[in-house]
Amino acid sequence: MAKLWSGRFALESSSLLEEFNASILFDKTLWHEDILGSKAHAKMLARIGVLNATELEQILKGLEQIAQSIESGEFVFDIGDEDIHMAIESALTKLIGDVGKKLHTARSRNDQVALDFRLYILKHNLYVQHLLLALMECILDIASQHTQSIMPGMTHLQHAQPISFGFHLVAWACNFRRDVQRLGDDYARNNFCPLGSGALAGTPYGNDRIYLSKELGFSAPTLNAMDSVSDRDFALDMLYSLSMIMLHISRVAEELVLWSSVEFKFITLSDAYSTGSSIMPQKKNPDVPELLRGKCGRVYGALIGLLSVMKGLPFAYNKDTQEDKEGVFDALKNVEICLKIAKACLESMQIHTQNMYKMAKRGHLSATDLADFLVRECNVAFRDAHHITGKVVAYAENRGVDISDLSESEIMAVDARIKAGVKAILSLESSMNARSSLGGTASQQTQSQIDTLRAFIQERKTFLDSIESAHSTKAQDE
Ligand code: ARG
């Protein structure tokens, strides 16, 4: 098949080149954005007098028809067309005749692909924000039921201080809030329109780039034509943000794996989100959290892959850049399903607060409270208080009980400086609720953190709704 660019070529492309060079098999994903861009470009060409009204109408109708045939699955993507831009352009000319050949005036595939890919990423940026908000909501719903459920808080994966399960979940949600904020920053930084930059240097047609930018829902046109066609920061921003999301998911996933083990038994994952072993009939494996943890690797891979592609590229467009898409498509697809299944997995798990409490009773979690009591109520310097507390812990260890289970007289017998009233502060409840400083684990503090995050979710949802249709392109549940 003769290529759209074959004028100066004497020989036909080798089939190996065709296979090697073509991006159509994956960049067809961008068809919707490509058509949006072409429609805006055609309208702009009519405004600057390159197309007359009839030509514009024919082109717009033709593009609409192509969109319908792609949507319905009738459209045949041919590797000979090389990429989605040429596939749509040649389909248009086939459909409406020579007028179709005018569409590519004052445009290059370089600014076309920069536009399409940017639009696609911005659309998914909003979608991923929605999925993160839904996950946060689910986490907070569980957290609000557990602001009093005591579990062992750990550092170094060793028992440290009693916290509530709700408090722990709020820590997760804080990670996802930052992910939403990061995507919001990416969106604002990259919401600029590269269309009209031409191949690299602008065009001699006086393209109305302000019109294009408005028509396509951007904040403004990009500043410099050369930068516009060579920049892929918007894709790297997305991959970094996706990597951070996966990092956060992997840490949550790891806790689900630990907590569902016999050793912890804090939770039981629903059968609907667990799998069995092919050989050991008794087993129920946490495959979902394990895969959530594992998928982190391929998303980091996509980030490192594109960073490597972009490194050292001379300005402006280089074909290397065609390697920017598959990693992003794959990362988005995987992160989106991870966010959905993480939510489903959390929603459906059973929570065993009694086991958490039992475990919190092992490890002298209120030892710090005893030291604080000695400082505050008994006028003992912290270093001495630490030492006396150590002795009480050793005594409890000898008896094989937790310090919160010692009687008041037993504790007071360890050191003369320990005053009456000590027993009450050693209970896990009192220890947890004593940590009522801003951001602490005390029940009302946890509740107020939940309230803050819920207000954030509401605000963000309203904001997302207000910008959702700006680019006339919306990702949704498939
Ligand atoms: N398929 C190309 C890509 O994805 C489109 C831009 C091609 N431009 C060019 N001058 N060869 O990057």
Side-chain angles (χ1 to χ4, degrees), residues 15-63:
S15 58
L16 198 55
L17 169 110
E18 235 171 43
E19 187 189 336
F20 183 63
N21 194 43
S23 52
I24 184 98
L25 295 183
F26 52 87
D27 70 12
K28 62 184 179 186
T29 308
L30 300 174
W31 71 267
H32 185 63
E33 286 70 25
D34 199 73
I35 285 185
L36 270 182
S38 285
K39 283 183 177 170
H41 181 67
K43 288 189 205 164
M44 190 280 296
L45 288 178
R47 278 170 74 88
I48 61 170
V50 172
L51 296 176
N52 65 36
T54 335
E55 290 170 331
L56 173 64
E57 209 192 305
Q58 279 176 283
I59 289 179
L60 291 180
K61 265 200 192 145
L63 287 170

Side-chain angles (χ1 to χ4, degrees), residues 23 27 82-83 85 109-110 113 317 319 321-322 325:
S23 52
D27 70 12
E82 194 175 315
D83 59 27
H85 324 295
R109 278 186 293 154
N110 299 353
V113 73
Y317 179 84
K319 186 75 169 192
T321 321
Q322 182 166 287
K325 294 171 201 60

Side-chain angles (χ1 to χ4, degrees), residues 217-272:
F218 288 97
S219 317
T222 49
L223 189 65
N224 172 284
M226 192 146 163
D227 175 50
S228 310
V229 292
S230 48
D231 168 32
R232 291 296 180 273
D233 292 4
F234 59 90
L236 288 165
D237 282 347
M238 176 50 104
L239 289 173
Y240 176 69
S241 292
L242 295 177
S243 296
M244 287 299 281
I245 293 171
M246 289 311 294
L247 182 155
H248 295 148
I249 288 188
S250 78
R251 295 183 68 177
V252 168
E254 169 62 12
E255 299 202 314
L256 296 180
V257 171
L258 281 175
W259 291 350
S260 59
S261 66
V262 176
E263 285 68 23
F264 277 81
K265 221 172 181 351
F266 286 1
I267 57 168
T268 303
L269 296 172
S270 154
D271 282 357

Side-chain angles (χ1 to χ4, degrees), residues 412-445:
M412 289 175 72
V414 173
D415 192 289
R417 286 168 286 184
I418 305 176
K419 287 189 178 167
V422 65
K423 168 85 182 152
I425 59 107
L426 289 186
S427 77
L428 295 180
E429 290 75 7
S430 127
S431 170
M432 182 191 79
N433 281 313
R435 291 191 168 69
S436 58
S437 55
L438 194 67
T441 187
S443 298
Q444 4 76 291
Q445 278 302 332

Side-chain angles (χ1 to χ4, degrees), residues 110-147:
N110 299 353
D111 58 345
Q112 240 185 311
V113 73
L115 171 81
D116 296 0
F117 199 28
R118 210 181 264 248
L119 279 175
Y120 181 86
I121 286 179
L122 290 172
K123 151 173 108 175
H124 282 272
N125 176 308
L126 300 183
Y127 183 51
V128 173
Q129 287 193 54
H130 273 298
L131 295 176
L132 283 164
L133 293 174
L135 177 62
M136 283 178 74
E137 268 177 334
C138 150
I139 293 173
L140 295 176
D141 285 346
I142 306 173
S144 61
Q145 291 163 29
H146 291 284
T147 58

Side-chain angles (χ1 to χ4, degrees), residues 102-374:
K102 292 194 173 185
L103 177 63
H104 208 56
T105 319
R107 181 174 82 167
S108 155
R109 278 186 293 154
N110 299 353
D111 58 345
Q112 240 185 311
V113 73
L115 171 81
D116 296 0
F117 199 28
R118 210 181 264 248
L119 279 175
Y120 181 86
I121 286 179
L122 290 172
K123 151 173 108 175
H124 282 272
N125 176 308
L126 300 183
Y127 183 51
V128 173
Q129 287 193 54
H130 273 298
L131 295 176
L132 283 164
L133 293 174
L135 177 62
M136 283 178 74
E137 268 177 334
C138 150
I139 293 173
L140 295 176
D141 285 346
I142 306 173
S144 61
Q145 291 163 29
H146 291 284
T147 58
Q148 327 251 8
S149 314
I150 291 177
M151 68 183 281
M154 299 189 182
T155 61
H156 313 265
L157 205 60
Q158 306 288 329
H159 287 210
Q161 290 173 344
I163 58 171
S164 75
F165 183 55
F167 176 72
H168 193 118
L169 295 188
V170 173
W172 289 357
C174 287
N175 286 259
F176 297 121
R177 173 168 69 161
R178 286 193 295 279
D179 291 333
V180 171
Q181 290 167 327
R182 189 173 297 108
L183 285 168
D185 296 345
D186 293 348
Y187 192 95
R189 193 181 320 104
N190 295 310
N191 192 21
F192 295 93
C193 182
L195 194 60
S197 297
L200 78 162
T203 78
Y205 288 90
N207 296 34
D208 187 345
R209 294 194 55 214
I210 296 179
Y211 170 82
L212 283 174
S213 162
K214 280 204 185 115
E215 182 69 16
L216 289 163
F218 288 97
S219 317
T222 49
L223 189 65
N224 172 284
M226 192 146 163
D227 175 50
S228 310
V229 292
S230 48
D231 168 32
R232 291 296 180 273
D233 292 4
F234 59 90
L236 288 165
D237 282 347
M238 176 50 104
L239 289 173
Y240 176 69
S241 292
L242 295 177
S243 296
M244 287 299 281
I245 293 171
M246 289 311 294
L247 182 155
H248 295 148
I249 288 188
S250 78
R251 295 183 68 177
V252 168
E254 169 62 12
E255 299 202 314
L256 296 180
V257 171
L258 281 175
W259 291 350
S260 59
S261 66
V262 176
E263 285 68 23
F264 277 81
K265 221 172 181 351
F266 286 1
I267 57 168
T268 303
L269 296 172
S270 154
D271 282 357
Y273 294 98
S274 309
T275 51
S277 154
S278 56
I279 174 166
M280 297 164 281
Q282 86 285 8
K283 285 205 79 177
K284 183 162 146 180
N285 292 328
D287 284 28
V288 168
E290 287 172 300
L291 254 184
L292 287 172
R293 207 171 51 184
K295 280 190 183 282
C296 204
R298 69 196 290 163
V299 178
Y300 290 1
L303 172 63
I304 301 298
L306 185 54
L307 282 169
S308 314
V309 167
M310 296 308 292
K311 178 187 173 295
L313 282 188
F315 285 74
Y317 179 84
N318 299 275
K319 186 75 169 192
D320 314 45
T321 321
Q322 182 166 287
E323 289 294 313
D324 59 0
K325 294 171 201 60
E326 286 165 289
V328 170
F329 295 157
D330 182 77
L332 277 168
K333 190 177 97 196
N334 278 289
V335 171
E336 287 168 5
I337 192 168
C338 283
L339 288 168
K340 289 180 202 170
I341 202 155
K343 172 171 175 275
C345 195
L346 293 175
E347 267 166 357
S348 58
M349 72 187 182
Q350 278 173 274
I351 298 160
H352 309 301
T353 50
Q354 278 176 344
N355 292 342
M356 293 179 187
Y357 193 82
K358 250 193 261 160
M359 174 109 59
K361 273 279 186 187
R362 287 159 44 194
H364 316 289
L365 292 187
S366 46
T368 319
D369 298 82
L370 176 54
D372 290 336
F373 175 82
L374 284 161

